[in-house]
Amino acid sequence: MSCHRSAQHLAVLIAVALAGAAGAALAEDASGRQVYVEHCASCHGANLEGQPNWKQRLPTGRLPAPPHDATGHTWHHSDRQLFRIVKEGPAAMMSGYETDMPGFGAVLDDAEIAAVLDYIKSTWPERQRDVQAAKSASDPLQP
């Protein structure tokens, strides 16, 4: 095979591999979006917008569900913290914190939790993704 044909062959293989990786990423986002729609959107909003006046306490003393888009504070937390909040509930992270959000560990497996978090993160602008990635790097998710 000539050098030119080898380079073309390599280019095709790389393109196929990249397309496969992109397809896998889209499939992950789709599965994460589906988990979000089924388990999170009823409180956090179909468009990750959260409940109205999410910073003001309800008559119960609890806070409404915050947005998970760039206007909220989700991106202020590391992957480890976010994973634990979803799996165990916010009260597991903040002793004595009263919330309407349950832990989803009995409902979602670890892969589903990771997929929904990946979906949420995929919607953020680059700045928020960069800040959150830096927080995650300094607070790694333990297997």
Side-chain angles (χ1 to χ4, degrees):
M1 193 180 297
S2 73
C3 201
H4 180 70
R5 283 185 67 112
S6 294
Q8 285 179 326
H9 185 70
L10 181 60
V12 168
L13 289 174
I14 290 171
V16 168
L18 289 175
L26 288 174
E28 276 183 24
D29 282 351
S31 69
R33 178 167 171 42
Q34 185 61 38
V35 172
Y36 179 86
V37 167
E38 290 175 11
H39 298 282
C40 313
S42 62
C43 293
H44 292 282
N47 297 307
L48 297 97
E49 73 275 12
Q51 293 177 331
N53 304 314
W54 64 276
K55 293 181 182 179
Q56 296 176 357
R57 293 200 180 274
L58 299 168
T60 61
R62 297 176 176 185
L63 290 168
H68 289 312
D69 62 15
T71 68
H73 60 79
T74 307
W75 56 274
H76 294 200
H77 300 287
S78 70
D79 287 342
R80 184 188 65 77
Q81 292 170 323
L82 294 174
F83 189 90
R84 189 168 174 211
I85 288 169
V86 174
K87 188 167 185 154
E88 301 171 27
M93 292 288 297
M94 300 162 277
S95 180
Y97 182 75
E98 291 189 33
T99 178
D100 290 329
M101 182 178 162
F104 283 85
V107 178
L108 302 175
D109 64 30
D110 289 357
E112 290 170 315
I113 293 171
V116 76
L117 292 173
D118 286 344
Y119 163 68
I120 290 169
K121 293 187 298 184
S122 77
T123 68
W124 298 335
E126 185 176 358
R127 178 184 173 277
Q128 282 76 4
R129 286 193 314 268
D130 289 347
V131 168
Q132 197 275 333
K135 289 180 182 293
S136 295
S138 65
D139 185 25
L141 182 61
Q142 300 298 324

